[in-house]
Amino acid sequence: MLPQALTTHLTERGVTVLRGHPACGLSLQAGRWKVSLGDSCLEADHVISALPASVLSKLLPAEAAPLARVLGTIRAVSVAVVNLQYQGAQLPVQGFGHLVPSSEDPGVLGIVYDSVAFPEQDGSPPGLRVTVMLGGSWLQALEARGCAFSQELFQQQAQEAAATQLGLKEPPSHCLVHLHRHCIPQYTLGHWRKLESAAHFLAIHRLPLTLAGASYDGVAVNDCIESGRQAAARALGLELDP
């Protein structure tokens, strides 16, 4: 709903939104960007990129190679999201959900109690809904080995987690599985140095490029909204209140 609302808000104010035109490359010509869109291109005085850092690194021109190398080291991890619904079940606790330390379970990141946050979406007759998020070292190890992912694998892991951690031992009445590849940036030790290096390069070379999105200063939705706000202000040369 959020991207749909943003699209409506922008297009009503004369902003052109190009969908289905992925950026294929960036080049600088007389201080202006040329953005390649495959079979077409556009020119821009300034680019605000909300692409994942590693994706942007592959699009930058040769003269920005040092920046590309830094951005290429900001990796992202994959997450499998499994939605489960149980008929006639109850949670042993109330709340938004819980997180799971890797020492307890290397594959389960946490479980969200959807029925607590949004009981109006439980359907008729109502069924208890939870969302299990899978990832961590377990998923990374599977990716490294080139293992084939299947809906059954993720559903089994999620059901075991719900049974062990919440006592939901009966089979779910409904299950949805989505694998989001490389969806959450991973801030490793020394991440702030990468941000300083990128900012220094942009400032020294006066590149008309602003970095925004989840790869830099926070992965949550509210962090990304603030990142976009700050990026727009920098591009316009405005000072924002903290």
Side-chain angles (χ1 to χ4, degrees):
M1 294 174 64
L2 178 59
Q4 291 173 354
L6 287 171
T7 299
T8 300
H9 178 85
L10 293 171
T11 53
E12 287 177 348
R13 288 158 177 78
V15 177
T16 300
V17 179
L18 298 177
R19 292 188 287 182
H21 293 78
C24 303
L26 291 168
S27 60
L28 273 173
Q29 299 180 357
R32 286 171 56 84
W33 288 109
K34 182 177 181 181
V35 185
S36 174
L37 303 175
D39 56 356
S40 64
C41 65
L42 57 85
E43 292 186 357
D45 297 315
H46 198 102
V47 167
I48 297 176
S49 173
L51 292 171
S54 60
V55 175
L56 176 61
S57 72
K58 297 179 176 65
L59 305 183
L60 291 172
E63 53 264 41
L67 175 62
R69 284 194 292 271
V70 172
L71 298 182
T73 63
I74 302 176
R75 305 296 185 183
V77 295
S78 302
V79 174
V81 178
V82 184
N83 306 106
L84 300 171
Q85 185 169 37
Y86 297 85
Q87 297 298 328
Q90 290 186 336
L91 288 169
V93 294
Q94 294 292 299
F96 180 80
H98 67 263
L99 299 175
V100 181
S102 57
S103 59
E104 295 288 337
D105 191 319
V108 180
L109 303 177
I111 302 178
V112 178
Y113 312 155
D114 301 296
S115 288
V116 176
F118 302 104
E120 68 277 8
Q121 298 178 6
D122 283 347
S124 181
L128 174 67
R129 296 175 302 111
V130 298
T131 296
V132 182
M133 294 170 290
L134 304 172
S137 60
W138 170 76
L139 188 55
Q140 291 176 16
L142 292 180
E143 288 182 318
R145 294 200 302 267
C147 296
F149 296 137
S150 67
Q151 177 172 322
E152 292 74 21
L153 171 66
F154 294 129
Q155 180 174 345
Q156 179 184 358
Q157 287 289 117
Q159 285 184 224
E160 290 178 358
T164 302
Q165 299 172 23
L166 295 173
L168 302 174
K169 300 186 182 300
E170 296 297 322
S173 58
H174 293 85
C175 177
L176 295 174
V177 178
H178 294 92
L179 175 61
H180 303 281
R181 292 185 181 273
H182 312 300
C183 65
I184 300 182
Q186 191 87 44
Y187 299 167
T188 55
L189 188 65
H191 179 72
W192 66 273
R193 289 193 179 91
K194 299 176 183 179
L195 302 187
E196 283 194 348
S197 176
H200 180 72
F201 184 90
L202 291 172
I204 290 296
H205 296 275
R206 296 186 178 181
L207 283 184
L209 172 66
T210 302
L211 306 178
S215 292
Y216 308 106
D217 295 302
V219 302
V221 172
N222 55 324
D223 294 316
C224 293
I225 292 172
E226 178 61 18
S227 173
R229 177 173 172 268
Q230 295 286 347
R234 288 196 297 272
L236 294 172
L238 300 178
E239 290 290 336
L240 288 179
D241 295 330

